[in-house]
């Protein structure tokens, strides 16, 4: 399963974190290999990255191998970059181009906007709109 992720610089709420953990854990328990793509910004991208690494670590402590491949799509502008660590880092691109690459690489977009009410000047909402136009499934938390 290939997931893209989009969220805000304000980070994830506890509810959003719990929903993401449940979603990924259900795939793990079903034996699915998971590939995740995120944009490497402070806030929600970093929170999502940490959730994935914590799941890997927790399962390793139980001597259970889980397959989560983390692919980072960094922005060209470094001011808001989180500099997460992964063996898989794509070419840096401007925000909107990078967000499109994340959607295109994914089967499902996990979207965690600040508000459930659509915003016009929001990178998260622009990514959701693009995913919808590309007929990708969007799981919004």
């Amino acid at each position: 399963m290939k997931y893209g992720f989009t969220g805000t610089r304000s980070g994830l709420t506890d509810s959003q974190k719990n929903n993401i953990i449940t979603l990924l854990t259900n795939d793990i328990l079903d034996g699915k290999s998971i590939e995740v793509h995120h944009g490497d910004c402070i806030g929600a991208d970093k929170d999502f990255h940490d959730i994935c690494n914590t799941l890997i670590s927790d399962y390793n402590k139980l001597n259970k191998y889980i397959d989560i491949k983390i692919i980072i799509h960094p922005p060209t502008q470094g001011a808001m970059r989180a500099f997460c660590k992964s063996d898989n880092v794509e070419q840096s691109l401007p925000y909107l181009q990078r967000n499109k690459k994340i959607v295109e690489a994914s089967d499902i977009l996990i979207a965690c906007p600040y508000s459930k009410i659509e915003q016009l000047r929001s990178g998260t909402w622009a990514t959701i709109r693009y995913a919808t136009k590309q007929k990708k499934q969007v799981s919004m938390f």
Side-chain angles (χ1 to χ4, degrees):
M1 185 63 59
K2 295 180 182 181
Y3 289 103
F5 177 80
T6 186
T8 69
R9 291 184 198 127
S10 61
L12 296 174
T13 65
D14 289 340
S15 175
Q16 289 169 329
K17 288 177 185 178
N18 290 332
N19 284 319
I20 291 167
I21 291 167
T22 299
L23 178 70
L24 296 178
T25 301
N26 285 339
D27 281 352
I28 292 166
L29 295 174
D30 286 344
K32 295 177 184 173
S33 63
I34 301 170
E35 183 175 293
V36 297
H37 296 257
H38 72 76
D40 195 30
C41 279
I42 59 172
D45 287 345
K46 173 73 165 89
D47 291 345
F48 179 72
H49 185 87
D50 291 346
I51 287 168
C52 293
N53 277 325
T54 297
L55 285 171
I56 293 167
S57 176
D58 288 351
Y59 275 84
N60 284 343
K61 287 176 188 173
L62 298 171
N63 291 322
K64 295 181 179 181
Y65 173 77
I66 61 169
D67 187 11
I68 299 179
K69 181 178 182 181
I70 301 171
I71 301 169
I72 295 173
H73 298 258
T76 51
Q77 295 176 337
M80 296 295 170
R81 189 165 173 197
F83 294 95
C84 296
K85 303 292 182 213
S86 174
D87 292 335
N88 307 288
V89 179
E90 298 291 313
Q91 175 186 351
S92 296
L93 292 170
Y95 287 113
L96 294 177
Q97 290 177 22
R98 172 206 66 172
N99 293 347
K100 287 181 177 182
K101 292 287 186 187
I102 291 169
V103 168
E104 291 162 2
S106 306
D107 301 314
I108 299 171
L109 179 69
I110 299 170
C112 296
Y114 184 77
S115 169
K116 301 276 186 192
I117 300 169
E118 186 173 350
Q119 305 292 312
L120 291 179
R121 291 191 177 114
S122 162
T124 301
W125 275 103
T127 306
I128 294 166
R129 286 189 294 271
Y130 182 72
T132 302
K133 286 180 185 172
Q134 297 302 306
K135 306 222 185 301
K136 301 284 182 158
Q137 180 180 335
V138 177
S139 292
M140 191 177 318
F141 302 124

